[in-house]
Each structure stands twice: as structure tokens, then as C-alpha cells.
Amino acid sequence: MQKTNRLPLDMVYHWEATKANSVYLTQPVGDGKVVEYTWARAVDEARRVASYLKSLNLPENSRIGLISKNCAHWIMTDWAVWMAGHISVPLYPTLNADTVNYVLNHAECEVLFVGKLDDWDMMKPGVPDSVRCISFPLSPPNDFETWDDIVAKYPPLEEKVQRDPDELATIVYTSGSTGKPKGVMLSFRNMAFAAEGAMEVLHVGPDERMLSYLPLAHVFERTFVELASLYAGFHLFFAESLDTFVEDMKRAQPTLFLSVPRLWVKFQQGVLHKLPQKKLDTLLKIPVVNKLIKKKILKGLGLDKVKLAGSGSAPLANDVLDWYRNLGLELLEGYGMSENFAYSHINKPGRTRTGYVGESMPGVETKISPDGEILIKSPATMVGYYKDEEKTRQAFTDDGFLKTGDRGEIDEMGRLKITGRMKEIFKTSKGKYIAPAPIENRLMTHQSIEMVCVSGANQTQPFAMIQLAEGIRPKVSDGGVRKELEESFTKLVENVNKTVDPHEQLAFAVIVTDDWTIENNFLTPTMKLKRDVVEDAYESKVNEWYAQHKKVIWQ
């Protein structure tokens, strides 16, 4: 099924010709004001920036970095990079300087677009002096060349650039098991196949409205927001900030809305704070009041116009899914990875099953390996990992299926259930990958620690479980020693959190009093910690620990 779909730039030129004066992007610029970009204006600015990039005489397929929160210029930069014959390399707008430096050096980026950022001062030291930087209108203060000056100075690139389907379109950096990000190489064919398949499944058209606020550096937003809007031709709105989110929602009145588990839970908690569950249940049982209450709640959340709501990036608790469905909002979960451009599985309206992530999307083959691993194959699957042939080889089976690293099972209707992880790496509820080993290694520098296990799958932030060194354990009954240890571990957590990316920062450390030994099955015969055994042993206590809001907890 290797047909050549319409490529992203084909769609850019299509809407430029057919919807030139229709508004495509609505960008808040502060104080309640917005700037609107028609298709004609957006494509014209992209063409001008492409001219500028061409004038730099970079080698073909040069990697161009892009670090910014979501905004209209993020989308236009992607187009400009492609028009100029290059490859876009998005960076998360929350990375620390070390990770920024690693990505820019590994990808050999010669140019970096710098946009809306909350902590540019933290990231700036990671940008090599050799990298030419360009500033978006909403970027922090800097002395870089500006987007507006480039647009004013350079003529639009007149040609309709055609890229080869198998050329690289983007390199998406995602956490690896070593903690160093891996560069997932995605071609124009990968992108096009995923976009057209998503259109086929979701049945969306040019009259939709969508709010873009989850990071565009993540494939979930890239596929189902950037590419979906480009292929369907619908109106895309951007959020200004968390503080203005309610106003941004009211402005957009989205008909499609995607979020991650953490936000769906926050929305739910906000409702239940005003209307406790017991009272809500009572009101929903009254026939006349039932519909009014549901409508009022959804309107308060800005979701009353939504016809299709989705959750992705990490699993959503079954009771939260059921809560929204009881309000008449059928939340559809999906499943995907950076390595397949988030194009894998999705629940279909009327065919959902709680706890399952849905059926294979068009053109996706799914099977379960003999040891329970979910294996995926489709034309949306990555070309490989940038500069890493060995990891690329390891990522695929001999017959070309992508090894997802997740365990799963498939029901009689072809719906997939994720039952666990093949590897230690885990995802938070924000959809971010955590490699526990590097964090554990940092914690193990403390002389009072014998063993440590970093966990937190599907939680907002990871946490650490610590077993004290054998000589320290008998002394913790002494109040003075205990207090001293608590202060020391509090400082340790703070110091470790300064060295990792925001999504890797520990919420707390738990001092466990159980012995982790070979005899009680916590350790292998070679004294390695059995992570799954440790996690299972304390699973029932995890929510209680988070609820304590302490940096150090004694268990």
C-alpha cells in the first residue's frame, strides 16, 4: 500500500489557490488582541522566509531547528523549511540547555528559529555560537534577525517546490532508554500517509475549528492538529497562555478537541470542585434536568460545540473516560508513537471499549509477538533513527514490523489493549518519556542510599523509592538521625531536579523500610532490582503518596 499521497506542500499550494482569503490561523498577541492569517498571507510569508533560507546557500536537506511554543509562525516555519529544500527539527519549548545543545549538535542544525518561550534564559546557553538564530515576533527579547524583517526584505519564492515523497521532512527527537533523545526520521510519505488516513477515520472537513496548545514538537499535535488542519483546510486557533486558556477556548469554540490525560483530569476536578460528584449524580438522574446539566458543564469547559474529542500520549483512567461519556462527550482514546507519527490505533465512535485504545487505522498492520509485544507496520512508520543504524535495526523485526516496546492484546473486534511495558522506560500522564536509569544514577551518589527505583508511569511527575544503606537502617528510629536524613534527601531531590528536564523532575522520594532482597524476589540472582516487582509491591500506596505533597515520605 505504498501509493503516493498528496504531500504536505501540495496541500499548502492547494489552499493558497482555492481559499486564499479565508482565515487559516488566529494568533493571540496579548491584551485580548489577535492577528489573523489568511491562507494567502500565511503562504506568502512562508515563501519569503524560504527565499531567505535559500539565500544562505546551505547544503540540500540541511537540518533547521525550531524552538517555540505553539504559534502561527511555528506552522509557517515548517512550510518555509520544506520549500527551501531542508528538514525541520522541532525542539520542545521546555528543554534544558544541555538537551538543547545535544539536539542541535546531533542534528548539525545550522539555523534555529526562536519563538514564544517562557524560559529562554535557561535554554540560551545550549545554543552553539555557530548556529544562526531567527526571532519570531512573539519571542523573548534578543538581537537576532527577525521574521518580520526577513518577510519585508525578501521576495516570495515563486516556484511550487515539489519534494520527493521519500525525502526526510522532519527529525523528531524523543527520549531514548539511555536518556539521550533519539532522532526519529520521518519522510514526506510518512506524514502524508498518516494525515490522509486520519482524515479518512475522523471524517473532518474545512468547517472545523481547533485550538492548538499541546506542543507541536510532539507528533500527537503535529499529526492531528498541524497536518489535520492542512489536509482538511480548517481554521486553527492558538492559545496565548495557561492564564488565558478559558478565553482562548471561547474564541475558538472548537469542534474538534484533543488533550492529554492530565488536562482531562484537571477539567474534571474543576467541575467537581463546584459541583460535587454526589450532587452531580443526583441531578443527572432527574430526566428534565439531566440534559441541561450536561450542556451547562460542557459549555463551562468550552466543549459544548465539540463533536469529536480525543485523548492521547498516555493512558487515561477508565473512570475518567466513563465520567465524560456520562456527560455525553465520547472521549476517543488513541495510541501511537513518535516512530509511527502517532498513526497507529484509535477508538471509533460507537465502537469504544473502556480500557482499549481502539482499532488499527487504515493501512496499519498489528500483531502481537510470542512474548506479548505489540508490533506495528504501516507506511507511516519512520525511516529510522538519525545517525544510529544499530538502534534502527533493533527497532524492527526481520519482517519489517516496528517493535513498540509495549505489551498488548487484541480483542475479537480488533481493538487493542495496552497491558504493560516491555522495557523500563515509561510515560507520564503528560505523554513524556522518562528513562529512569540516569535519574537513579544521580540519586545513588548519596552515601545513605543503597538502592533506588524511579517510577511514575501515568502520573504527572516521576518519583523515587529509596532503600537506605544497610548501616543506616537501624538508626532511623532516632529522631535526630531521621530529621537529618529528611533534610539531606530534600536537598538531594532539589539538586537532582536542577540537572534534568522539567518532565523528569521528581515529585518526591519515598524511604521504604522493606528489605529488597533476592530471597523476597525484589532482586535477581545477580543483584539487579526487579523494577516490576518493586512497582507492584507499592502500587496501592502511590496515590496516597502524591496526595501528601511532601518532598520526602517515610513508608
Side-chain angles (χ1 to χ4, degrees), residues 28 32 69-70 116 210-215 221 237-254 256-260 262-264 266-268 298-303 306 324:
K69 293 165 77 173
N70 298 15
K116 272 184 78 173
M210 207 166 189
L211 182 68
S212 176
Y213 66 101
L214 300 172
E221 187 85 352
F237 295 77
F238 294 93
E240 184 177 348
S241 67
L242 276 177
D243 293 337
T244 65
F245 193 79
V246 173
E247 292 306 310
D248 295 326
M249 284 285 282
K250 286 179 181 175
R251 181 188 300 116
Q253 295 187 21
L256 309 173
F257 189 76
L258 298 180
S259 196
V260 291
R262 183 180 177 220
L263 286 173
W264 286 118
K266 282 187 80 168
F267 295 159
Q268 179 197 35
L298 292 176
K299 189 168 185 177
L301 292 170
L303 301 173
V306 170
Y324 279 102

Side-chain angles (χ1 to χ4, degrees), residues 321-340:
L321 279 169
D322 290 338
W323 187 84
Y324 279 102
R325 287 170 184 168
N326 287 338
L327 290 178
L329 190 72
E330 188 175 26
L331 260 183
L332 303 176
E333 277 198 289
Y335 169 68
M337 304 167 63
S338 298
E339 286 83 350
N340 54 30

